[in-house]
């Protein structure tokens, strides 16, 4: 890596996928207040909603959203409010 091209705060950081608990170590300049013990060392912690271990594109598990069922539930609860 070239010297002097990265900011001073460029350091190892643990990213934790909150949907499945998977963690991985990378380098980042992100500001964090939390730390975590990872592989025997203490690192700053960044919590992410989704990562490659939980994203449907990478895992091959896609979820089918039942939009027709949701629309029917809405119409049953609130009646047909479509403009005629």
């Amino acid at each position: 890596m070239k010297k002097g091209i990265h900011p001073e705060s460029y350091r190892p950081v643990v990213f934790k996928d909150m949907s499945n608990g998977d963690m991985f170590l990378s380098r980042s300049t992100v500001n964090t207040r939390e730390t975590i013990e990872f592989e025997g060392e203490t690192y700053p912690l960044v919590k992410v909603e989704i990562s490659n271990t939980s994203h449907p594109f990478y895992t091959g598990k896609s979820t089918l959203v039942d939009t027709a069922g949701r629309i029917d539930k809405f119409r049953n609860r609130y009646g047909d409010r479509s403009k005629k």
Side-chain angles (χ1 to χ4, degrees):
M1 186 173 5
K2 275 187 167 180
K3 299 289 182 193
I5 63 170
H6 292 291
E8 294 295 322
S9 62
Y10 191 67
R11 69 208 185 284
V13 176
V14 172
F15 291 88
K16 182 175 183 180
D17 186 340
M18 298 309 291
S19 63
N20 64 4
D22 189 44
M23 296 185 290
F24 59 93
L25 183 65
S26 186
R27 296 180 66 85
S28 178
T29 60
V30 68
N31 292 327
T32 65
R33 293 181 183 193
E34 296 181 62
T35 60
I36 193 167
E37 185 82 17
F38 184 73
E39 296 179 351
E41 296 285 327
T42 302
Y43 296 103
L45 174 66
V46 177
K47 295 178 180 176
V48 293
E49 297 290 325
I50 195 164
S51 70
N52 65 328
T53 59
S54 61
H55 193 281
F57 179 79
Y58 295 107
T59 60
K61 299 176 185 174
S62 62
T63 57
L64 179 63
V65 177
D66 182 20
T67 56
R70 291 180 185 181
I71 292 170
D72 290 338
K73 272 189 203 177
F74 179 84
R75 287 188 178 151
N76 288 339
R77 182 178 289 168
Y78 299 107
D80 188 10
R81 296 178 182 242
S82 62
K83 295 179 181 178
K84 294 181 181 182

